[in-house]
Amino acid sequence: MNPHVSCVVVLAAGQGTRMKSDLPKVLHPVCGRPMLLHVLAAAEAVEASRTVVVLGHRSDLVIPVLPEGCAVAFQERQLGTGHALLAAADLIPAGLTLVLAGDTPLVTGEVLRTLVTDHAASGAAATVLTMRLEDPSGYGRVVRGPEGSVLHIVEARDASAEEAAIDEVNSGMYLLPAPLALEILRGVGSDNDQGEIYLTDVIAGLRARGEEVAASLVDDASLLLGVNTPAELTEAERLLEERSKKRHGPGC
């Protein structure tokens, strides 16, 4: 039996400066629908008790678009993904928390259900959603132990030559235990000179406490495509049209 997901948190506060637009990144349409709504629709598959969307830049434009029942948290300054999760801390109940990125419009409910299933099978405290890329440049590498559990996630700039050769990378989406994950992030914040806190700090913190961390590897990396530029937006639209065509015929 799969564990119950208490809360979905969608991180959607980024300004998206590379989009070259005043429109918040998560409102850019893919097949006529804001990309954030594609993510929220996929998240419905896990049937969480609560959904929280973390907003920042031009939240006044995003709030009217949100489905009824979504709670909203505000990240006034963008100081990392972990900082974004802490911005929602007061709205996150105890239990399993699914953290998603608001700029991944191709993610599906099937992918998220599989993530929950893999988490349950592993018995781990947390599970990272991962993918394999032919060119993993710029992505955090997932370093696994001999038995398959995640030892750590190393950022591209810090990777040794051996680690840089790893093609399994972090998607930025996780199943995390609350309130333990929030407790770990608060501890990172108190000692962080740069003032930036990342969700990978939770993985390091769990491992330091002797907890197991698992990985759920998707078969198709395009399902986790993040949109940061107009070119990536065009590619997401093409892929979504292609997917829709296979299911329903031409058109989105």
Side-chain angles (χ1 to χ4, degrees), residues 79-108:
L79 298 174
T81 50
H83 181 263
L85 189 65
L86 281 176
D90 291 343
L91 297 171
I92 299 174
L96 201 56
T97 297
L98 172 61
V99 184
L100 302 176
D103 62 357
T104 54
L106 293 165
V107 72
T108 64

Side-chain angles (χ1 to χ4, degrees), residues 24-64:
K25 180 169 68 168
V26 296
L27 290 188
H28 281 267
V30 179
C31 286
R33 189 183 195 192
M35 69 173 90
L36 175 59
L37 295 189
H38 287 283
V39 177
L40 289 170
E44 290 177 5
V46 304
E47 300 180 342
S49 301
R50 177 177 295 173
T51 298
V52 182
V53 181
V54 181
L55 299 179
H57 175 67
R58 294 309 309 270
S59 59
D60 59 309
L61 296 180
V62 183
I63 289 172

